Amino acid sequence: MVLDGLNAAQREVVAAPAGNVLVLAGAGSGKTRVLVHRIAWYIQTGQTHPHGILAVTFTNKAAGEMRGRIESLLQHPIGGMWVGTFHGIAHRLLRAHWQEAGLPENFQILDSEDQQRTVRRVIRGLELDESQHPPREAQWYINAQKDEGLRPQHLDDRGDPSLRQMIRIYRAYEEHCARAGLVDFAELLLRAHELFREQKERLAHYQQRFRHVLVDEFQDTNSLQYAWLRLLVGHDGSLFAVGDDDQSIYSFRGARMENMQRFQGDFPAAKLHRLEQNYRSTGVILRAANALIAHNATRLGKELWTAAGDGARVQLYSAFNEHDEARFVADRIAAEREGGGRYEDCAILYRVSAQSRVLEEILMQSGIPYRVYGGLRFYERAEIKDALAYVRLAVFRNDDAAFERIVNTPPRGIGQRTMEHLRVTARAQAGSLWEAALATMRDKMLPSRALSALDQFLRLIHGIGEQVRRQGPGEAVAAALEAGALREHYRKEPGEKGLSRIENLDELQNAAREFELDPELHGEIGPLQAFLAHAALESGETQADAQADCAQLMTLHSAKGLEFRQVFLVGMEEGLFPHQHSSQDARQLEEERRLCYVGLTRAQRRVTLTYAQHRRLHGTEFYPQPSRFLRELPAELMEDVRVGGDVSRALYAREAEAPDGAGFRLGQRVLHAKFGEGIVLNVEGYGSQARVQVNFAAAGSKWLVLAYAGLQPA
DNA sequence: AAGTGAGGTCTTTTT
DNA sequence: GACCTCACTT
């Protein structure tokens, strides 16, 4: 029954003998489906109980979806199964074993914004020049080290003075977080890894329990997540990993595509499977995507195919400027709608979020409803974070991030001088700001006006603490809003902004109450702590109002995992896509190409590409060249939209005429007697002169004369 | 302590 | 073009 409705390749994967399995699953090939059915298969064949399964994803959305699909397939709740994100699972482990992990019981989670503020404070505390050592860069550096599993003591400055300062900042930041009981996202993973590495009995316990570990989007794992999985799986466990190296687009945040290549070496007796039949797109779209991605040298190699027909050719529009581009897209969407289609079937994908502005203007003018994905999410809003900071400080007085945030919000006469004094005192006594404030009050170390303002603040927090102690999140948030007078504070903000902030605060109270009523969400740590963790780990939807029928606007990155009938890929220009910052380095360029591949493979029926001959960006003028990716698409799949337009045919890759009967295509998998399996990267010449460039998995990239090579289609 | 104007920056994003 | 930070003013 779990094998019903699967194709042969999927069935083979789902029912593969227990052991380590890597599934190279192309876009739209049913990757999550296979993962979910594998879980059901484990259970229905009696190999394990739900209790013995751990399934990991990257986003809460994916985890939620997976949970739902497992439950509906099994027809009952998943019980003791763990399904969650890497961070969520790490958090769960750390809450359960906080002592062994060296954390205070009520440690709090620092999100990226909190982290950056904290890093800034640390840099100032070290009396370093902020313009010389930008907090953003230091934060970046710290996270990159943690993602590699490196603590300050593992790092060597190699005599480089600026590196020396970075390490110094990292060390000071770490000390600060330890004092304040704060754990950032990367730290969750690092501590969870260290817990497994250093507490052998704990590790053994979880190894015994989770004999079957499953990971989605495996190409997005970073070094630390990979190392953690290796520890957990050990010798006796089994790892079932699903991923697509061609869709690895997050190396900038530590993702290691190489983890897919390493898999077979590191996990004993690992089996590799491929899922290449695509159920989403037309033949034309897949051929275009295959040809594009074939230009990448570092891949495991695969070629998507479909049983469906060819469909329409890929359209290309050369716009005069970004306004013309937007108008063209808007017209197309309007036409789609008039032809009986829906707005929501149309997605406009772009490289950088700044591109959305002009698109939005024109869509608005054209009366086309739209929705922009990305941007601030609910729990990231300033007013929400303010309110939660009151609760956090009331729960855990040492939370310096919360203290800094609300000590003078709303303004209560605690200014820079007072805060500077508290920071210095806190550093001197190696304690928190709260402790410094208590000492300052006790020794009367400030002018009486400042002392009285500070005293009021301390009492205020104390008061909330009294109320919060025995109450759930709903009451706690209410108490914080009341005592902090945040509604009054935001009411003063002019215009709609203040109004929406107050609405958000009301919504926060609702969310807290609802959370309180659902015991499933509380875990073992109590409703209030669970709610605070929930707010930090799941920042919520971008927009609560999922409007009816809207055109969808988003970056290529946020489009991953989604699909649309019609995809508009705009801004196909050198410098923008591939982006300037990524076009120098070969590895980064390949990632840009994968991003383009992701964009193309989002489309079910039709892809439209556009580029502008003239573009204003950041207030300056550009006359960009068309993107090199356009030239990498086979000419016969393309169609110029503008009649008599100046788009030259030469823009596209001419498919070389290979000798009769040979017919090798770009991106095709081939077999060579000596070099083994490879992918066709390039084709040139005619007849007996015809040559192909093939990237062999084992032997690397080679040019071969077809007449002698004896290549076979694989 | 709080409000105003100049100057620098500007990929991609989840947890 | 928009945002954020900093220095300066009141």
Side-chain angles (χ1 to χ4, degrees):
Chain A
M1 175 216 144
V2 282
L3 299 180
D4 289 351
L6 300 174
N7 69 31
Q10 291 170 339
R11 263 203 301 278
E12 198 181 317
V13 170
V14 167
N20 296 314
V21 174
L22 176 64
V23 185
L24 189 53
S29 66
K31 137 176 99 67
T32 311
R33 195 175 159 79
V34 157
L35 210 146
V36 166
H37 281 253
R38 176 72 168 183
I39 291 174
W41 177 81
Y42 278 137
I43 293 170
Q44 293 191 352
T45 54
Q47 301 192 50
T48 183
H49 296 285
H51 189 76
I53 292 175
L54 175 73
V56 203
T57 63
F58 280 86
T59 67
N60 292 298
K61 193 174 155 217
E65 256 171 46
M66 188 181 298
R67 184 184 298 269
R69 286 173 70 165
I70 296 167
E71 284 176 351
S72 72
L73 191 61
L74 292 175
Q75 297 287 339
H76 59 77
I78 57 172
M81 196 184 308
W82 280 26
V83 179
T85 63
F86 277 103
H87 292 85
I89 286 164
H91 177 246
R92 190 166 176 178
L93 288 170
L94 296 180
R95 287 289 178 197
H97 310 294
W98 53 273
Q99 275 168 310
E100 289 151 288
L103 290 168
E105 184 173 11
N106 40 13
F107 70 88
Q108 296 297 313
I109 300 168
L110 220 50
D111 72 14
S112 319
E113 194 212 344
D114 297 338
Q115 185 188 30
Q116 194 177 327
R117 287 164 176 258
T118 305
V119 169
R120 169 170 293 123
R121 291 262 66 93
V122 166
I123 290 174
R124 288 183 181 168
L126 291 172
E127 292 178 338
L128 291 171
D129 180 4
E130 257 181 86
S131 55
Q132 205 86 44
H133 306 275
R136 283 185 59 96
E137 276 175 36
Q139 178 188 26
W140 183 263
Y141 174 81
I142 291 169
N143 288 339
Q145 302 317 308
K146 288 189 179 185
D147 284 348
E148 294 297 315
L150 299 170
R151 295 282 186 195
Q153 63 268 23
H154 303 131
L155 297 166
D156 174 15
D157 60 29
R158 300 186 307 264
D160 177 344
S162 77
L163 198 56
R164 212 186 104 234
Q165 295 297 357
M166 280 295 193
I167 297 170
R168 207 175 138 219
I169 294 168
Y170 181 10
R171 183 172 289 117
Y173 168 77
E174 204 176 51
E175 284 162 6
H176 178 93
C177 289
R179 277 204 301 277
L182 297 170
V183 174
D184 62 47
F185 289 136
E187 186 77 20
L188 286 171
L189 300 178
L190 186 46
R191 294 259 178 180
H193 180 249
E194 288 167 349
L195 178 75
F196 276 177
R197 200 183 56 201
E198 270 137 42
Q199 311 286 333
K200 292 295 175 209
E201 339 61 76
R202 286 294 169 214
L203 175 61
H205 168 260
Y206 285 104
Q207 283 177 334
Q208 279 297 314
R209 170 166 177 185
F210 296 122
R211 300 306 274 264
H212 300 288
V213 180
L214 301 95
V215 186
D216 197 8
E217 305 277 17
F218 193 71
Q219 78 283 352
D220 286 339
T221 50
N222 65 28
S223 302
L224 197 50
Q225 289 158 338
Y226 188 82
W228 182 82
L229 286 170
R230 280 189 73 181
L231 282 177
L232 176 59
V233 171
H235 294 296
D236 304 325
S238 74
L239 179 59
F240 185 88
V242 182
D244 181 358
D245 54 340
D246 291 332
Q247 292 190 69
S248 163
I249 55 173
Y250 284 115
S251 74
F252 69 91
R253 65 181 200 215
R256 295 299 198 93
M257 185 176 76
E258 308 90 273
N259 288 346
M260 298 206 49
Q261 275 112 9
R262 291 174 59 192
F263 190 97
Q264 294 195 78
D266 288 340
F267 291 90
K271 290 277 186 298
L272 174 69
H273 294 260
R274 281 191 170 80
L275 294 179
E276 298 176 288
Q277 182 174 6
N278 172 290
Y279 293 93
R280 177 184 297 155
S281 312
T282 65
V284 161
I285 293 168
L286 296 181
R287 287 216 296 280
N290 285 333
L292 178 87
I293 202 66
H295 286 81
N296 277 3
T298 44
R299 347 172 23 214
L300 288 168
K302 91 181 118 37
E303 193 174 16
L304 295 176
W305 62 277
T306 177
D310 272 358
R313 287 198 285 175
V314 175
Q315 302 206 315
L316 179 69
Y317 179 70
S318 168
F320 175 60
N321 58 23
E322 72 273 18
H323 292 274
D324 181 31
E325 176 182 62
R327 235 169 272 125
F328 171 77
V329 173
D331 287 349
R332 284 302 168 113
I333 294 175
E336 168 78 9
R337 164 82 174 193
E338 272 159 33
R342 288 172 304 182
Y343 290 129
E344 64 188 3
D345 289 329
C346 302
I348 312 178
L349 311 182
Y350 37 81
R351 179 62 179 78
V352 304
S353 353
Q355 286 172 265
S356 79
R357 211 196 83 242
V358 175
L359 291 162
E360 288 185 66
E361 271 171 29
I362 305 277
L363 288 171
M364 192 99 74
Q365 281 170 25
S366 317
I368 297 173
Y370 64 89
R371 179 181 172 197
V372 185
Y373 286 71
L376 262 199
R377 289 188 313 246
F378 185 71
Y379 287 108
E380 290 167 357
R381 292 168 197 278
E383 62 275 22
I384 302 302
K385 296 195 69 172
D386 287 346
L388 291 176
Y390 277 94
V391 180
R392 278 167 63 150
L393 196 56
V395 171
F396 187 44
R397 304 291 151 85
N398 289 348
D399 187 338
D400 282 1
F403 191 106
E404 289 266 7
R405 181 160 195 113
I406 52 159
V407 66
N408 205 30
T409 309
R412 54 172 68 85
I414 302 177
Q416 284 307 309
R417 295 191 74 91
T418 307
M419 280 312 292
E420 211 35 57
H421 174 85
L422 292 186
R423 289 188 199 112
V424 169
T425 309
R427 257 195 306 280
Q429 60 190 33
S432 64
L433 290 170
W434 182 268
E435 289 160 353
L438 291 179
T440 301
M441 293 299 302
R442 190 187 55 226
D443 302 339
K444 304 211 182 337
M445 290 189 288
L446 284 173
S448 63
R449 223 174 85 178
L451 282 180
S452 101
L454 195 56
D455 183 50
Q456 271 195 332
F457 176 67
L458 298 183
R459 285 175 194 282
L460 180 80
I461 297 301
H462 195 73
I464 302 173
E466 286 298 303
Q467 293 186 59
V468 155
R469 201 158 304 280
R470 288 197 151 57
Q471 288 168 328
E475 293 304 317
V477 168
L481 289 177
E482 183 67 25
L486 283 174
R487 283 206 182 82
E488 290 71 15
H489 174 58
Y490 282 115
R491 223 188 298 284
K492 289 185 204 133
E493 204 164 325
E496 278 189 33
K497 202 154 188 177
L499 220 62
S500 95
R501 295 211 139 131
I502 292 172
E503 281 172 24
N504 286 334
L505 290 176
D506 294 340
E507 186 52 38
L508 175 67
Q509 225 178 311
N510 286 339
R513 287 215 189 89
E514 275 175 34
F515 193 92
E516 194 168 333
L517 296 176
D518 190 349
E520 287 242 327
L521 297 169
H522 302 170
E524 297 95 40
I525 57 177
L528 187 57
Q529 281 281 358
F531 180 67
L532 291 173
H534 165 87
L537 287 174
E538 309 195 19
S539 22
E541 281 287 306
T542 306
Q543 282 176 359
D545 50 329
Q547 291 246 343
D549 185 23
C550 283
Q552 330 235 15
L553 274 66
M554 67 192 81
T555 64
L556 284 154
H557 282 92
S558 21
K560 197 175 94 173
L562 305 177
E563 59 184 345
F564 313 93
R565 260 179 89 80
Q566 190 160 179
V567 165
F568 297 89
L569 238 165
V570 300
M572 298 295 297
E573 296 139 37
E574 283 295 304
L576 187 57
F577 192 29
H579 197 274
Q580 191 62 51
H581 292 166
S582 306
S583 50
Q584 316 305 325
D585 172 89
R587 289 174 58 99
Q588 290 188 54
L589 192 60
E590 293 209 347
E591 180 143 319
E592 295 280 312
R593 192 175 282 111
R594 290 193 290 270
L595 196 52
C596 188
Y597 176 80
V598 166
L600 293 173
T601 53
R602 296 311 91 200
Q604 297 166 333
R605 308 304 302 218
R606 181 188 285 279
V607 172
T608 306
L609 307 173
T610 65
Y611 68 91
Q613 293 154 24
H614 171 220
R615 184 179 295 274
R616 272 181 99 105
L617 207 64
H618 312 312
T620 33
E621 316 261 333
F622 292 92
Y623 291 90
Q625 293 292 308
S627 171
R628 71 190 73 190
F629 299 148
L630 295 173
R631 271 180 276 122
E632 295 171 359
L633 300 172
E636 77 276 8
L637 302 178
M638 308 292 294
E639 180 181 6
D640 290 343
V641 174
R642 183 188 282 175
V643 187
D646 39 11
V647 185
S648 117
R649 294 261 149 213
L651 195 58
Y652 313 120
R654 271 287 172 82
E655 191 171 37
E657 276 96 336
D660 289 347
F664 288 104
R665 282 202 318 274
L666 294 187
Q668 186 174 4
R669 274 229 305 282
V670 293
L671 203 61
H672 185 272
K674 190 164 146 214
F675 301 130
E677 212 177 345
I679 296 268
V680 177
L681 287 186
N682 237 322
V683 191
E684 67 172 41
Y686 305 88
S688 61
Q689 306 296 308
R691 303 193 310 150
V692 292
Q693 189 188 19
V694 180
N695 183 41
F696 291 103
S701 173
K702 302 229 181 287
W703 277 102
L704 303 168
V705 177
L706 276 180
Y708 307 110
L711 275 186
Q712 300 292 319

